[in-house]
Amino acid sequence: MADLGSYGLKREELFLTTKLSPADQGKGNCKKAILDAVKKLQVAYIDLVLIHWPGSSKLAHDDPKNAERRKGSWEDLEELHSEGIVKSIGVSNYTIRHLEEMINAQNGYAKIKPVVNQVEVHPLFFDKELIDFCSKNSIVVQAYSSLGAADGWPVLAENATLKQVASKYSKSVAQILLKWALQHNLCIIPKTSKVENLKLNFDLFNFELSNEDMVAIDALNKNKKFCWDPSTIC
Ligand SMILES: NC(=O)c1ccc[n+]([C@@H]2O[C@H](COP(=O)([O-])OP(=O)(O)OC[C@H]3O[C@@H](n4cnc5c(N)ncnc54)[C@H](OP(=O)(O)O)[C@@H]3O)[C@@H](O)[C@H]2O)c1
């Protein structure tokens, strides 16, 4: 990363997030990987680190070492947090089962609860149970692929209900998808390579979807994922 000063930016003006790769999962490996990232980024601290995936590279989904390694990673992140090197810690692609084993009041291993669970959410994959579980446990759901990612965007863009709602509010389908997520209290991180789309993706605060339209969009759910499925990781 180039010197922030060369962009006229101060560190405190940025919110830096990174993820732990499944290749670096496990006690000791996680700490080393994050300290390497801090060094490469030339910063004193990272704002948010997420464990990208509940599994580890090169382990089968049903290998019990997955659970042991993600627990070790979490312990490393807690250490980095207490040392002030990482300000907030969270997870990504965790199901209720993966979260339960961390935060269960009887035997959960987390001393610090994850602040964020970054998961796939859009109207064709709307996991209300997971979202409610996170909300009850004060875990922010950060929705990825709100627009369906590269594969799902063409499908969502042509959805008749979404097109109808978009025309009713004189907005684009992408804006309706993002507003729907925001009205469900989800944090959104839409990706675009185009400045014009970036501008549209910020232009969400001058309209409100009616309850009726929210319900119609919720009803599109088909449990259809466009990214990966963590439910089989033991
Ligand atoms: N934790 C995980 O496992 C995970 C998995 C997947 C993604 N993510 C993260 O989630 C973020 C979102 O990425 P995503 O890949 O899922 O894509 P996305 O946000 O669902 O966007 C999909 C596509 O929509 C297009 N788009 C964006 N704004 C638009 C607009 N206003 N109108 C029309 N088209 C628009 C973009 O293409 P153009 O460039 O042509 O605008 C983009 O390729 C990324 O930061 C990614 O790293 C995380």
Side-chain angles (χ1 to χ4, degrees):
M1 183 172 156
D3 178 21
L4 297 177
S6 63
Y7 294 103
L9 287 167
K10 295 193 189 94
R11 173 66 187 88
E12 60 273 20
E13 289 171 333
L14 290 179
F15 189 92
L16 277 182
T17 306
T18 192
K19 292 189 194 122
L20 178 77
S21 157
D24 295 318
Q25 194 82 273
K27 186 99 191 119
N29 295 342
C30 167
K31 189 156 185 179
K32 183 181 175 306
I34 301 305
L35 289 175
D36 282 353
V38 167
K39 204 165 155 194
K40 275 192 203 141
L41 290 164
Q42 300 174 38
V43 291
Y45 67 92
I46 295 178
D47 296 280
L48 175 66
V49 173
L50 306 177
I51 296 181
H52 197 158
W53 178 251
S56 295
S57 301
K58 298 184 184 159
L59 286 187
H61 281 207
D62 61 355
D63 192 324
K65 282 200 213 81
N66 285 304
E68 185 190 311
R69 292 206 190 152
R70 65 177 171 267
K71 177 172 180 279
S73 296
W74 192 253
E75 287 164 358
D76 276 4
L77 291 186
E78 288 179 329
E79 244 174 73
L80 288 162
H81 180 268
S82 72
E83 290 161 2
I85 295 165
V86 176
K87 300 291 179 194
S88 297
I89 56 181
V91 295
S92 176
N93 295 299
Y94 274 39
T95 63
I96 292 179
R97 182 170 49 81
H98 301 127
L99 291 169
E100 266 283 341
E101 88 188 0
M102 299 179 82
I103 65 171
N104 183 286
Q106 274 77 51
N107 54 6
Y109 60 76
K111 292 193 208 86
I112 303 173
K113 267 205 315 196
V115 292
V116 165
N117 187 18
Q118 188 184 105
V119 289
E120 179 171 348
V121 187
H122 45 70
L124 298 184
F125 189 80
F126 181 42
D127 186 347
K128 193 81 177 55
E129 204 188 336
L130 176 65
I131 292 168
D132 289 347
F133 178 90
C134 289
S135 159
K136 264 190 224 126
N137 287 287
S138 307
I139 299 169
V140 172
V141 177
Q142 197 169 60
Y144 73 71
S145 304
S146 301
L147 306 178
D151 289 349
W153 167 240
V155 180
L156 288 164
E158 287 309 315
N159 180 280
T161 304
L162 293 171
K163 279 166 86 170
Q164 204 180 1
V165 175
S167 128
K168 178 173 163 188
Y169 292 88
S170 302
K171 292 284 176 186
S172 69
V173 167
Q175 288 172 310
I176 297 299
L177 289 167
L178 297 177
K179 189 69 180 184
W180 171 83
L182 287 179
Q183 285 185 216
H184 275 302
N185 290 323
L186 303 173
C187 166
I188 52 171
I189 49 169
K191 184 171 90 178
T192 179
S193 55
K194 301 188 178 83
V195 173
E196 59 272 26
N197 283 347
L198 189 63
K199 286 183 187 159
L200 289 171
N201 295 349
F202 276 110
D203 181 26
L204 303 173
F205 302 101
N206 48 11
F207 74 110
E208 198 78 16
L209 296 173
S210 70
N211 189 45
E212 189 190 10
D213 291 327
M214 287 294 288
V215 170
I217 300 173
D218 290 358
L220 297 176
N221 183 35
K222 289 190 165 42
N223 294 324
K224 167 73 187 147
K225 270 180 162 281
F226 294 107
C227 294
W228 23 87
D229 180 5
S231 65
T232 53
I233 304 279
C234 91

